C-alpha cells in the first residue's frame, strides 16, 4: 500500500489536489494522510501559531478547524466512490510546517507528498508557492505539485528534463515506471542548453543510453529533444506548451539540473510557474 501525505488548508486548490490524487491512484491501494498545520503563513520564517497570542488562527482553531476537517471528510467521501482500497486519516496539529511534514514522513513511512499551488485559506494566506517550493527543496520525499484547476486525464505526453552530469540509477528509473503505468504515454527526454552548438559526442551517447534504459523499464515510446533557452524554466515551458504536455517529472537529486547548469534557476521556479502537474523525485 502506498502512503501519501496531503497537506491541506481547506482551499479549493487544496481540495483539487486531493481530487487529482484520488484519480491518479484510483486503482492503487493507498492510505491518504490529510494534514492541517496551524501556523502563521505570511512570514518568511516559520513560527508556531501559539507565539501570536490571540492570533485569529488560534482563536478559530478548536471549533472551526474541526468542522472544516469534518467537511473535508465528507468531500472525500463524495468523490472517492467509497473505494475499499483507499483509506483516509485526518491530522490536525499546531507548530512548524516543515517540521510537521518531516515528522509524518518518518512516522508514517510516507512515499509521496501531494500539494496544490496558489491556494489561500479562509483564515490566512497559507498554502502558497513558497510552501510547496520549500517541501520540494528541503524535505527528502517525492513530491507531486498540482497546479490550480489541473485535472487528471491520464498521461499522454510526459516531459523528463535531463541533466547528463547526474547518474540515473535503476532505483530512479523504477520510480518513474511506477508512476507511468499507461503504455499510451509518450516519454520526452528534454535537454535544455544555452547554446545552439552541436552536442558533444559523449552527450549523444549518454542520451541514447538513457533512452534505451527507460525503454527497457517502460512499455512506452521514448524520444530525445533538445531546446535552446537561456533559462531552463523557459525552455521547459515553451516545449511543454508546444507539445501540450500533461505531466513533468524532475529528478531533484542535489538539484544539479538547476544549480549546476543554470545557476540562477531552481526547481521552485519551474514548480511555481507551470500549469502542468510536476512530480519531483528524490534521486
Amino acid at each position: 500500500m502506498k502512503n501519501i501525505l496531503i497537506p491541506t488548508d481547506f482551499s479549493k486548490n487544496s481540495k483539487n489536489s486531493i481530487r487529482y490524487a484520488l484519480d491518479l491512484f484510483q486503482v492503487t491501494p493507498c492510505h491518504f494522510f490529510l494534514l492541517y498545520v496551524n501556523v502563521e503563513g505570511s512570514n518568511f520564517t516559520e513560527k508556531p501559531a501559539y507565539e501570536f497570542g490571540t492570533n485569529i488562527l488560534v482563536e478559530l482553531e478548536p471549533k472551526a478547524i474541526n468542522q472544516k476537517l469534518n467537511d473535508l471528510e465528507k468531500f472525500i467521501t463524495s468523490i472517492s466512490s467509497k473505494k475499499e482500497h483507499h483509506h483516509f486519516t485526518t491530522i490536525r496539529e499546531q507548530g512548524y510546517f516543515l517540521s510537521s511534514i518531516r515528522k509524518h514522513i518518518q512516522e508514517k513511512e510516507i512515499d509521496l507528498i501531494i500539494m496544490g499551488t496558489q491556494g489561500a485559506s479562509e483564515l490566512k494566506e497559507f498554502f502558497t508557492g513558497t510552501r510547496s517550493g520549500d517541501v520540494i527543496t528541503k524535505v527528502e520525499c517525492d513530491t507531486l505539485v498540482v497546479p490550480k484547476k489541473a485535472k487528471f486525464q491520464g498521461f499522454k505526453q510526459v516531459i523528463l528534463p535531463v541533466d547528463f552530469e547526474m547518474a540515473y540509477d535503476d532505483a530512479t528509473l523504477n520510480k518513474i515506471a511506477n508512476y507511468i503505468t499507461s503504455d499510451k504515454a509518450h516519454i520526452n527526454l528534454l535537454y535544455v542548453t544555452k547554446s545552439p552548438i552541436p552536442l558533444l559526442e559523449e552527450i549523444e551517447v549518454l542520451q541514447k543510453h538513457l533512452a534505451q534504459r527507460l525503454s527497457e523499464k517502460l512499455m512506452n515510446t521514448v524520444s530525445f529533444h533538445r531546446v535552446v533557452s537561456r533559462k531552463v524554466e523557459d525552455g521547459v515551458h515553451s516545449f511543454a506548451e508546444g507539445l501540450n504536455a500533461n505531466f513533468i517529472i524532475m529528478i531533484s537529486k542535489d538539484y544539479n539540473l538547476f544549480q549546476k547548469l543554470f545557476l540562477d534557476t531552481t526547481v521552485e521556479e519551474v514548480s511555481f510557474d507551470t500549469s502542468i502537474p510536476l512530480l519531483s523525485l528524490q534521486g
Side-chain angles (χ1 to χ4, degrees), residues 76-97:
I76 292 170
T77 300
S78 70
I79 65 175
S80 65
S81 300
K82 298 182 179 179
K83 293 183 173 63
E84 294 182 355
H85 57 280
H86 283 173
H87 304 277
F88 302 90
T89 299
T90 56
I91 305 168
R92 184 199 71 193
E93 60 186 40
Q94 182 171 286
Y96 296 96
F97 183 74

Short mmCIF file of all heavy atoms in Angstrom, two decimals, residues 76-97:
data_model
loop_
_atom_site.label_atom_id
_atom_site.label_comp_id
_atom_site.label_asym_id
_atom_site.label_seq_id
_atom_site.Cartn_x
_atom_site.Cartn_y
_atom_site.Cartn_z
N ILE A 76 -14.32 14.15 0.57
CA ILE A 76 -13.58 12.98 0.08
C ILE A 76 -14.51 11.81 -0.17
O ILE A 76 -14.43 11.13 -1.19
CB ILE A 76 -12.49 12.59 1.10
CG1 ILE A 76 -11.41 13.67 1.15
CG2 ILE A 76 -11.87 11.25 0.74
CD1 ILE A 76 -10.44 13.50 2.28
N THR A 77 -15.43 11.61 0.76
CA THR A 77 -16.39 10.51 0.60
C THR A 77 -17.22 10.69 -0.67
O THR A 77 -17.52 9.73 -1.38
CB THR A 77 -17.32 10.43 1.82
OG1 THR A 77 -16.54 10.20 3.00
CG2 THR A 77 -18.34 9.31 1.65
N SER A 78 -17.55 11.94 -0.97
CA SER A 78 -18.40 12.21 -2.13
C SER A 78 -17.69 11.97 -3.46
O SER A 78 -18.34 11.72 -4.48
CB SER A 78 -18.91 13.65 -2.09
OG SER A 78 -17.85 14.57 -2.33
N ILE A 79 -16.35 12.03 -3.47
CA ILE A 79 -15.63 11.87 -4.74
C ILE A 79 -14.83 10.58 -4.83
O ILE A 79 -14.29 10.25 -5.89
CB ILE A 79 -14.66 13.05 -4.98
CG1 ILE A 79 -13.56 13.08 -3.92
CG2 ILE A 79 -15.42 14.37 -5.02
CD1 ILE A 79 -12.50 14.13 -4.17
N SER A 80 -14.74 9.83 -3.74
CA SER A 80 -13.89 8.63 -3.73
C SER A 80 -14.63 7.37 -4.15
O SER A 80 -14.00 6.32 -4.32
CB SER A 80 -13.30 8.41 -2.33
OG SER A 80 -14.31 8.12 -1.40
N SER A 81 -15.95 7.46 -4.28
CA SER A 81 -16.78 6.30 -4.64
C SER A 81 -16.61 5.16 -3.64
O SER A 81 -16.83 3.99 -3.96
CB SER A 81 -16.41 5.81 -6.05
OG SER A 81 -16.63 6.82 -7.01
N LYS A 82 -16.17 5.52 -2.42
CA LYS A 82 -16.04 4.55 -1.34
C LYS A 82 -15.19 3.35 -1.75
O LYS A 82 -15.53 2.20 -1.48
CB LYS A 82 -17.42 4.09 -0.87
CG LYS A 82 -18.27 5.22 -0.29
CD LYS A 82 -19.60 4.71 0.21
CE LYS A 82 -20.43 5.86 0.80
NZ LYS A 82 -21.75 5.40 1.27
N LYS A 83 -14.08 3.62 -2.41
CA LYS A 83 -13.18 2.54 -2.81
C LYS A 83 -12.57 1.88 -1.58
O LYS A 83 -12.01 2.53 -0.71
CB LYS A 83 -12.06 3.09 -3.71
CG LYS A 83 -12.57 3.59 -5.07
CD LYS A 83 -11.41 4.05 -5.93
CE LYS A 83 -11.87 4.39 -7.34
NZ LYS A 83 -12.81 5.52 -7.37
N GLU A 84 -12.68 0.55 -1.51
CA GLU A 84 -12.22 -0.17 -0.34
C GLU A 84 -10.70 -0.13 -0.20
O GLU A 84 -10.18 -0.32 0.90
CB GLU A 84 -12.70 -1.62 -0.40
CG GLU A 84 -14.22 -1.77 -0.31
CD GLU A 84 -14.64 -3.22 -0.32
OE1 GLU A 84 -13.76 -4.10 -0.49
OE2 GLU A 84 -15.85 -3.48 -0.16
N HIS A 85 -10.01 0.11 -1.28
CA HIS A 85 -8.53 0.12 -1.21
C HIS A 85 -7.98 1.52 -0.92
O HIS A 85 -6.77 1.71 -0.93
CB HIS A 85 -7.94 -0.43 -2.50
CG HIS A 85 -8.37 0.31 -3.74
ND1 HIS A 85 -9.57 0.10 -4.36
CD2 HIS A 85 -7.74 1.27 -4.47
CE1 HIS A 85 -9.67 0.88 -5.41
NE2 HIS A 85 -8.57 1.60 -5.51
N HIS A 86 -8.86 2.48 -0.67
CA HIS A 86 -8.44 3.83 -0.27
C HIS A 86 -8.82 4.07 1.19
O HIS A 86 -9.98 3.92 1.57
CB HIS A 86 -9.10 4.89 -1.16
CG HIS A 86 -8.48 5.01 -2.51
ND1 HIS A 86 -9.00 5.80 -3.51
CD2 HIS A 86 -7.37 4.45 -3.04
CE1 HIS A 86 -8.24 5.72 -4.60
NE2 HIS A 86 -7.26 4.89 -4.33
N HIS A 87 -7.84 4.46 1.98
CA HIS A 87 -8.08 4.74 3.39
C HIS A 87 -7.63 6.17 3.69
O HIS A 87 -6.67 6.66 3.10
CB HIS A 87 -7.31 3.75 4.27
CG HIS A 87 -7.63 2.31 3.98
ND1 HIS A 87 -8.73 1.68 4.51
CD2 HIS A 87 -7.01 1.40 3.19
CE1 HIS A 87 -8.77 0.43 4.07
NE2 HIS A 87 -7.74 0.24 3.26
N PHE A 88 -8.34 6.83 4.62
CA PHE A 88 -8.06 8.24 4.90
C PHE A 88 -7.92 8.48 6.40
O PHE A 88 -8.68 7.95 7.20
CB PHE A 88 -9.19 9.13 4.35
CG PHE A 88 -9.42 8.97 2.88
CD1 PHE A 88 -10.32 8.03 2.40
CD2 PHE A 88 -8.73 9.75 1.98
CE1 PHE A 88 -10.53 7.87 1.04
CE2 PHE A 88 -8.94 9.61 0.62
CZ PHE A 88 -9.84 8.66 0.15
N THR A 89 -6.92 9.29 6.74
CA THR A 89 -6.73 9.73 8.12
C THR A 89 -6.51 11.23 8.11
O THR A 89 -5.67 11.74 7.36
CB THR A 89 -5.50 9.04 8.75
OG1 THR A 89 -5.69 7.62 8.77
CG2 THR A 89 -5.28 9.55 10.18
N THR A 90 -7.29 11.96 8.91
CA THR A 90 -7.09 13.41 9.02
C THR A 90 -6.26 13.71 10.26
O THR A 90 -6.43 13.09 11.30
CB THR A 90 -8.44 14.16 9.10
OG1 THR A 90 -9.19 13.65 10.21
CG2 THR A 90 -9.22 14.00 7.81
N ILE A 91 -5.35 14.67 10.10
CA ILE A 91 -4.44 15.05 11.19
C ILE A 91 -4.49 16.56 11.36
O ILE A 91 -4.38 17.30 10.39
CB ILE A 91 -2.99 14.63 10.88
CG1 ILE A 91 -2.92 13.13 10.56
CG2 ILE A 91 -2.07 14.98 12.05
CD1 ILE A 91 -1.59 12.71 9.97
N ARG A 92 -4.66 17.00 12.60
CA ARG A 92 -4.64 18.44 12.91
C ARG A 92 -3.60 18.67 13.97
O ARG A 92 -3.59 18.01 15.01
CB ARG A 92 -6.00 18.88 13.42
CG ARG A 92 -6.10 20.38 13.68
CD ARG A 92 -7.26 20.68 14.58
NE ARG A 92 -7.00 20.23 15.95
CZ ARG A 92 -7.92 20.13 16.89
NH1 ARG A 92 -9.18 20.42 16.62
NH2 ARG A 92 -7.61 19.72 18.11
N GLU A 93 -2.69 19.60 13.71
CA GLU A 93 -1.70 19.92 14.73
C GLU A 93 -1.23 21.35 14.60
O GLU A 93 -1.46 22.01 13.58
CB GLU A 93 -0.52 18.95 14.68
CG GLU A 93 0.25 18.92 13.38
CD GLU A 93 1.30 17.82 13.40
OE1 GLU A 93 1.00 16.73 13.93
OE2 GLU A 93 2.40 18.06 12.91
N GLN A 94 -0.56 21.82 15.62
CA GLN A 94 -0.11 23.20 15.68
C GLN A 94 1.40 23.23 15.80
O GLN A 94 1.96 22.48 16.59
CB GLN A 94 -0.74 23.88 16.91
CG GLN A 94 -0.41 25.35 17.08
CD GLN A 94 -1.26 25.95 18.18
OE1 GLN A 94 -2.45 26.17 17.99
NE2 GLN A 94 -0.66 26.20 19.33
N GLY A 95 2.07 24.06 15.01
CA GLY A 95 3.52 24.13 15.10
C GLY A 95 4.16 24.54 13.81
O GLY A 95 3.62 25.34 13.05
N TYR A 96 5.33 23.99 13.54
CA TYR A 96 6.10 24.34 12.36
C TYR A 96 5.67 23.50 11.17
O TYR A 96 5.50 22.28 11.28
CB TYR A 96 7.59 24.11 12.61
CG TYR A 96 8.19 25.00 13.66
CD1 TYR A 96 8.32 24.55 14.98
CD2 TYR A 96 8.63 26.28 13.35
CE1 TYR A 96 8.87 25.36 15.96
CE2 TYR A 96 9.18 27.09 14.33
CZ TYR A 96 9.30 26.63 15.63
OH TYR A 96 9.85 27.43 16.59
N PHE A 97 5.52 24.14 10.02
CA PHE A 97 5.03 23.44 8.83
C PHE A 97 6.00 22.35 8.37
O PHE A 97 5.64 21.17 8.28
CB PHE A 97 4.80 24.46 7.71
CG PHE A 97 4.23 23.86 6.46
CD1 PHE A 97 2.91 23.47 6.40
CD2 PHE A 97 5.01 23.68 5.32
CE1 PHE A 97 2.37 22.92 5.25
CE2 PHE A 97 4.50 23.14 4.17
CZ PHE A 97 3.17 22.75 4.13
#
